[in-house]
């Protein structure tokens, strides 16, 4: 396991949906603390996740939901990385 402080944005974003899905508080993640890009991305995702929770008020969101979030993360990453 790598030191999370030395993570690249790509590595972090690849794990992001999984971490959110596991109930991790990503706002305190070392990478988020030091990276404004991923902090903005996280804020956006939390908005999406919050909306999803209101649409699907279940304790364990279906896997398909996290797949959609992961896709959104990847698309976002492609847009912001130039
Ligand atoms: Zn980053």
């Amino acid at each position: 396991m790598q030191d999370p402080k030395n993570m690249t944005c790509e590595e972090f974003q690849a794990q992001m949906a999984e971490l959110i899905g596991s109930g991790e508080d990503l706002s305190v993640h070392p990478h988020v603390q030091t990276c404004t890009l991923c902090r903005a991305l996280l804020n956006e995702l939390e908005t999406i996740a919050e909306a999803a929770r209101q649409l699907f008020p279940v304790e364990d969101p279906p896997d398909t939901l996290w797949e959609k979030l992961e896709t959104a993360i990847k698309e976002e990453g492609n847009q912001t990385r130039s």
Side-chain angles (χ1 to χ4, degrees):
M1 190 73 170
Q2 209 180 349
D3 182 353
K5 286 187 186 110
N6 293 330
M7 258 180 164
T8 65
C9 290
E10 208 166 326
E11 284 165 346
F12 174 72
Q13 286 170 21
Q15 293 180 23
M16 207 182 204
E18 202 184 320
L19 290 168
I20 294 171
S22 68
E24 202 88 21
D25 183 3
L26 286 191
S27 62
V28 299
H29 190 286
H31 183 84
V32 176
Q33 295 288 313
T34 56
C35 179
T36 52
L37 182 71
C38 289
R39 208 180 308 153
L41 184 56
L42 178 64
N43 284 340
E44 212 165 297
L45 270 177
E46 279 177 342
T47 307
I48 297 169
E50 184 57 38
R53 267 196 290 274
Q54 285 168 16
L55 286 172
F56 308 102
V58 289
E59 280 193 19
D60 293 310
D63 286 347
T64 50
L65 178 61
W66 297 117
E67 276 168 26
K68 278 179 197 155
L69 280 178
E70 244 181 316
T71 306
I73 294 167
K74 278 170 192 155
E75 279 170 8
E76 182 71 22
N78 289 340
Q79 280 166 21
T80 49
R81 203 180 305 127
S82 55

